Amino acid sequence: MEYDKDLQSIQEARFVIEAAKKAQKKLAEMSQEQIDAIVEAMVKKTSENAAYLAKLANEETGFGNVTDKTLKNKFASDVVWSSIKDLKTVGILKDDKDKRIMDVAVPMGVIAGLIPSTNPTSTTIYKALIAVKAGNGIVISPHPGAKKAILKTVKILRQAAAEAGAPNGIIGALTTLTAKGTEELMKHHDTALILATGGEAMVRAAYSSGNPAIGVGPGNGPAFIERTANVEQAVADIVASKIFDNGVICASEQSIVVERVIAEQVIAELKKHQAYFLSESESAKLAGFILRGNGTMNPQIVGKTAVQVAKMAGITVPETTTILVSPQETVSPSNPYCKEKLCPVIAFYIEENWLDACNRSIELLNVEGRGHTLCIHSQDEEVIKEFALHKPVSRMLINTPGALGGIGGTTNLEPALTLGCGAVGGSSTSDNITPLHLINIRKAAYGVKSMESLRGPEPIAESIGNSTVDISDNEVRKLIEAALKKLSETS
C-alpha cells in the first residue's frame, strides 16, 4: 500500500516538532556553561567536516565550488562561534541597580529553519548554532535540491550535540519533503519563530503563516564607484565578490554604477581582471536565456561560472573569463540585468555625477532588493554620508566586497547568513541575525514610586476663617462649587 506523500510529510512535521518541543524544555533548564559546551561541540565537528560538507553540497546542487563552500562552512562554524561564544543568552542578562530593572532571557521554543539550495550546509550550521545558543530547539526544512547535503549536516550537528549532553530531538529535520510538510512546520502552533532564507515566494509564505518570522528577500545590490575611489581596489573587490562561490551569496554585487569621468578607467581595470563586456546583441541573447517567461530567473544559471553561463546561452567567451558585464542604460522590472543574478553576470551603468548615480542605485533597488545591501567605493566622506542617509537598504558597505562584507566577513557587522531587510524590504528586522534575535527578554521591574506620587502636586495650604488646613486641588474645586451654589440660592 502506498501512502500519500503529503500526509506523510505533514505527520512527520508534527512528530519532529513535538520531539523538539520536549527537548527544548530540558535544554531551557540547562546553564549557560552547559549550553555553550553543546554549541562548541557542534562547532568543532562541523568545522572538521567543512570540506566534506562543501563537496556534498557542490556535487548535489551543481552550484558554486568546493573551495568557497568550504570557506562558507568555516565561516558559519568558526567565525560565527567566535562572535557569539561570550554572548550571555541564559538567565539574568542585565541587572540595573539604579533603575531597579532586571533583563531575563527567555528562549522562544522551537525554531523552524528553512534552508536554501544556494548555501545549504553553511546555512544549516549557522541556524542550528544560533538556535541552540539561545536555548531553543530547531527543525530544519531542507530545500529538495540540496536534501542529502543538508540532512548529512544535520546528522553531524545532532551527533555532536548529543555527545555533549544535548537532549534528544533538539535538532530535528524533515526528510519527506513536500510543500504541505513545510507549510505544517511553519503554521504549527508549537513553532515559535520561522527563520526563512530562500526564494521570495517562500519568504512571503513564512510571513503569512500566522507565526512570527524573520525572512530574507532577494538581494540586488548596486556597487557605486565614485570618482575619488581607489579604482584598482574597487574593481578587484567587486570581481572577487561576484565570483565567490559563483555568485550565490545574496549580498554580492548585481550592478556597477560609475561616474562618467572614471568610466574608461573602470572598464580597463575590469578587463585586466578578465571581465568580458557583452555586445548589444550578446546582451539581448543572454537576457532571453536568463529570464523565463514568468518573469523569474532561469535556475540553470544559478551558481555557474561566467564561461558556463555564456556557453548555455550560445555565446563564445575566453575560457579565462571571470564575469560577464552587460552595459545598460535603462531600469525596469522586465530587464533581467536589473535583478538579482545568482551567477557572475553584472550590469554596468555610466552616470554623469554622483547624484545621478545615487538616483540610479535607488531605481535598481526599487525593482528588487529594497532593504538588503548596497556597496559604495569612495574616499569622499560627504558623498558616503549622503548615500547612507538616502538609500533604502539595511547595510551599506564601504570600500569592501559585497558578498563577504554583508555577512560580516570583511566588515565588523555581526557574522550571519541570515540578513534582515527591515520594514522597507518586508522583513521584521534590519539586523544580521544573532542568537539575541531568538530570545525574548522578560523585564523584572521593582516599584520605585508610590501611586500617591503620581496623582499630581503636593496638597496646598489654604486659609479658612481663623485656621489653616491642607486642602487638595479636588477639595478646593468642591468648596468653590458649593460657594457658588450657595450664592445662587440666596440671590
Side-chain angles (χ1 to χ4, degrees):
M1 181 177 178
E2 209 171 292
Y3 291 94
D4 183 275
K5 191 175 180 182
D6 281 341
L7 294 178
Q8 284 181 294
S9 64
I10 290 170
Q11 190 60 61
E12 181 187 40
R14 292 172 181 170
F15 283 149
V16 178
I17 293 169
E18 182 181 2
K21 183 181 179 183
K22 289 179 180 177
Q24 191 276 326
K25 287 183 178 179
K26 296 177 182 177
L27 189 73
E29 297 299 317
M30 292 185 174
S31 67
Q32 183 76 71
E33 291 72 24
Q34 289 173 308
I35 288 178
D36 286 349
I38 292 169
V39 179
E40 188 171 14
M42 293 162 62
V43 168
K44 183 179 179 183
K45 190 62 71 173
T46 50
S47 181
E48 289 172 356
N49 286 277
Y52 167 64
L53 293 174
K55 188 171 183 290
L56 287 182
N58 176 250
E59 289 176 347
E60 185 176 7
T61 65
F63 301 161
N65 61 77
V66 174
T67 300
D68 292 343
K69 288 191 180 299
T70 301
L71 177 58
K72 284 195 295 186
N73 288 340
K74 285 280 192 178
F75 175 88
S77 53
D78 299 346
V79 178
V80 169
W81 172 240
S82 179
S83 74
I84 68 173
K85 65 180 181 180
D86 296 325
L87 204 61
K88 189 161 178 57
T89 55
V90 176
I92 297 173
L93 303 180
K94 182 181 177 183
D95 188 359
D96 191 325
K97 299 296 185 182
D98 294 329
K99 292 185 177 180
R100 307 298 310 279
I101 294 177
M102 286 189 297
D103 289 354
V104 180
V106 182
M108 289 187 172
V110 177
I111 307 296
L114 278 55
I115 311 297
S117 58
T118 47
N119 306 295
T121 54
S122 53
T123 305
T124 302
I125 295 166
Y126 155 75
K127 288 187 177 181
L129 295 186
I130 65 171
V132 176
K133 171 71 176 180
N136 300 300
I138 186 167
V139 175
I140 298 296
S141 176
H143 188 287
K147 175 183 175 180
K148 292 178 182 178
I150 292 169
L151 292 182
K152 185 61 178 179
T153 307
V154 169
K155 184 177 180 180
I156 290 171
L157 287 162
R158 185 186 287 149
Q159 182 180 350
E163 290 174 356
N168 186 39
I170 200 66
I171 303 169
L174 305 185
T175 61
T176 304
L177 306 183
T178 70
K180 291 292 184 182
T182 301
E183 182 181 0
E184 179 68 18
L185 173 63
M186 292 194 293
K187 292 185 174 182
H188 198 280
H189 57 82
D190 282 332
T191 295
L193 177 77
I194 304 164
L195 276 180
T197 310
E200 189 172 0
M202 185 269 284
V203 172
R204 288 185 180 275
Y207 276 112
S208 61
S209 67
N211 282 323
I214 297 175
V216 179
N220 188 34
F224 172 45
I225 305 178
E226 191 259 343
R227 67 181 65 197
T228 66
N230 179 333
V231 172
E232 184 178 342
Q233 187 62 53
V235 170
D237 284 346
I238 292 169
V239 173
S241 175
K242 192 61 179 167
I243 66 174
F244 182 80
D245 208 22
N246 295 345
V248 295
I249 291 185
C250 54
S252 64
E253 297 84 346
Q254 304 297 323
S255 304
I256 298 173
V257 184
V258 302
E259 290 191 80
R260 188 173 298 280
V261 69
I262 59 168
E264 291 304 318
Q265 184 184 356
V266 172
I267 291 170
E269 199 62 39
L270 281 165
K271 289 180 178 179
K272 284 183 187 178
H273 285 267
Q274 287 78 50
Y276 181 86
F277 277 77
L278 298 164
S279 66
E280 190 173 338
S281 61
E282 288 172 332
S283 288
K285 194 173 186 179
L286 181 58
F289 178 74
I290 64 179
L291 190 66
R292 296 190 295 184
N294 62 2
T296 62
M297 288 292 156
N298 185 345
Q300 292 181 54
I301 69 170
V302 175
K304 301 298 190 293
T305 66
V307 174
Q308 289 172 323
V309 172
K311 284 180 179 178
M312 285 189 284
I315 299 169
T316 302
V317 301
E319 289 296 320
T320 55
T321 299
T322 53
I323 62 174
L324 302 175
V325 183
S326 177
Q328 294 291 310
E329 294 181 354
T330 62
V331 173
S332 76
S334 61
N335 182 349
Y337 296 105
C338 299
K339 295 187 174 184
E340 182 181 52
K341 303 164 288 296
L342 297 175
C343 64
V345 175
I346 199 163
F348 188 82
Y349 291 89
I350 299 174
E351 303 299 333
E352 293 301 325
N353 51 56
W354 75 264
L355 284 171
D356 289 342
C358 180
N359 292 331
R360 180 67 79 189
S361 298
I362 293 173
E363 277 187 293
L364 288 163
L365 290 163
N366 283 336
V367 166
E368 191 170 72
R370 283 172 63 85
H372 208 292
T373 303
L374 173 142
C375 296
I376 181 171
H377 296 268
S378 173
Q379 304 300 321
D380 190 325
E381 292 297 326
E382 291 307 312
V383 172
I384 291 170
K385 287 176 184 176
E386 285 300 313
F387 262 68
L389 286 169
H390 296 108
K391 296 300 167 293
V393 292
S394 297
R395 54 200 59 78
M396 190 179 94
L397 309 176
I398 304 158
N399 300 327
T400 194
L404 294 177
I407 64 174
T410 61
T411 64
N412 283 326
L413 293 174
E414 294 293 341
L417 289 170
T418 297
L419 313 180
C421 293
V424 70
S427 181
S428 55
T429 180
S430 59
D431 297 336
N432 286 13
I433 306 306
T434 74
L436 294 182
H437 292 89
L438 306 185
I439 60 172
N440 289 314
I441 296 179
R442 178 183 297 134
K443 297 285 185 179
Y446 287 86
V448 295
K449 301 173 185 175
S450 68
M451 288 185 65
E452 289 302 320
S453 70
L454 300 176
R455 293 184 184 278
E458 293 295 321
I460 60 173
E462 185 71 26
S463 178
I464 301 179
N466 293 324
S467 64
T468 300
V469 296
D470 288 335
I471 308 175
S472 69
D473 289 347
N474 192 43
E475 289 171 324
V476 169
R477 284 195 295 272
K478 287 181 180 179
L479 288 171
I480 293 172
E481 288 170 359
L484 290 172
K485 184 177 180 182
K486 189 171 182 179
L487 284 172
S488 64
E489 288 174 349
T490 58
S491 61

